[in-house]
């Protein structure tokens, strides 16, 4: 659009080459015609092309133009000279819009310390049983740990008692062997003398 307007203004200024001017004008008018065909369905068509219509009708004389350019000029003016479309004003709607349906929140009574209570007797009973189950489970785990610690302690005591008994017996054996060896050496000495 702006290119066509620029070319038309260029044509109106004195240019030295006549054929160059006609070629530019032909290209310009062809572009304007294509734009008219392209945008003729728009509501704001007459407002957009009003400056070009003024430029073509008042400032461009068709007497000196060749006949193909005169026909093109007339076609463009006919396309642009469509009666303006009447527009209606934008108005707010009279009635209020219908609000969206929102989900109402479920209100649960919250007691002290952030604990919630179920609304029905079954839910309260279920919560009580769940709490009791957790308590019993923790107690059972505690007892199992105590039992396993006790068993480990008893095993360790047994192993230590067996080791102590074995060490005592080994000491006795070594002691008796030492006394026997001492007696044997004493006998040997007596024989030598």
């Amino acid at each position: 659009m702006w290119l066509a307007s620029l070319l038309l203004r260029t044509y109106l200024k004195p240019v030295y080459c006549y054929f160059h001017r006609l070629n530019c004008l032909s290209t310009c008018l062809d572009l304007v015609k294509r734009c008219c065909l392209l945008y003729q369905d728009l509501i704001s068509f007459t407002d957009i092309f009003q400056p070009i219509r003024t430029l073509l009708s008042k400032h461009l004389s068709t007497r000196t133009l060749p006949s193909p350019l005169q026909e093109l000029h007339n076609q463009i003016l006919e396309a642009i000279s469509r009666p303006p479309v009447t527009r209606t004003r934008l108005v707010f709607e009279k009635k209020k819009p219908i609000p969206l349906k929102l989900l109402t929140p479920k209100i649960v009574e919250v007691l002290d310390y952030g604990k919630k209570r179920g609304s029905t007797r079954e839910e309260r009973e279920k919560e009580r049983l769940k709490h009791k189950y957790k308590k019993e489970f923790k107690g059972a785990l505690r007892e199992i740990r105590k039992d396993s610690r006790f068993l480990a302690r008893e095993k360790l005591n047994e192993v230590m008692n067996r080791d102590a008994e074995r060490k005592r017996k080994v000491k006795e054996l070594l002691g008796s062997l030492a006394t026997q060896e001492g007696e044997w050496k004493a006998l040997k000495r007596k024989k030598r003398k």
Side-chain angles (χ1 to χ4, degrees), residues 137-148:
F137 186 74
K138 286 179 183 177
L141 282 177
R142 199 177 307 118
E143 289 297 321
I144 289 171
R145 285 189 198 114
K146 274 186 189 177
D147 291 346
S148 61

Side-chain angles (χ1 to χ4, degrees), residues 57-112:
S57 60
K58 292 183 179 176
H59 300 290
L60 182 65
S61 64
T62 56
R63 293 182 205 146
T64 59
L65 296 178
S67 62
L69 286 180
Q70 286 180 359
E71 288 176 16
L72 193 58
H73 179 267
N74 290 335
Q75 288 173 359
I76 292 169
L77 281 178
E78 286 174 11
I80 294 175
S81 297
R82 235 178 19 171
V85 178
T86 57
R87 297 186 192 105
T88 58
R89 291 184 179 188
L90 295 176
V91 181
F92 288 114
E93 290 186 20
K94 304 256 181 193
K95 61 180 182 178
K96 286 185 177 180
I98 300 169
L100 297 173
K101 289 183 181 179
L102 302 175
L103 298 174
T104 56
K106 181 182 177 185
I107 299 170
V108 178
E109 184 180 339
V110 178
L111 300 176
D112 293 341

Side-chain angles (χ1 to χ4, degrees), residues 176-193:
S176 69
L177 282 175
T179 55
Q180 282 178 6
E181 194 174 341
E183 289 173 2
W184 183 72
K185 283 185 179 178
L187 281 173
K188 225 179 181 183
R189 274 188 232 131
K190 281 185 184 180
K191 283 184 182 180
R192 282 186 199 167
K193 289 184 183 176

Side-chain angles (χ1 to χ4, degrees), residues 1 3 10 25 27 30-31 34 76 94 97 100 108-109 164 166 191:
M1 259 344 262
L3 180 65
T10 306
L25 183 64
T27 306
D30 188 44
L31 279 173
R34 287 184 188 189
I76 292 169
K94 304 256 181 193
L100 297 173
V108 178
E109 184 180 339
R166 189 174 51 80
K191 283 184 182 180

Side-chain angles (χ1 to χ4, degrees), residues 146-163:
K146 274 186 189 177
D147 291 346
S148 61
R149 269 187 253 133
F150 175 75
L151 289 174
R153 224 178 302 126
E154 288 298 316
K155 274 188 180 179
L156 184 64
N157 285 338
E158 280 181 29
V159 169
M160 288 178 73
N161 288 337
R162 276 187 284 165
D163 285 349

Side-chain angles (χ1 to χ4, degrees), residues 17 41 46 76 94 109 113 117 131 140 180:
C17 182
D41 296 331
T46 54
I76 292 169
K94 304 256 181 193
E109 184 180 339
Y113 308 112
R117 283 215 174 164
H131 180 69
Q180 282 178 6

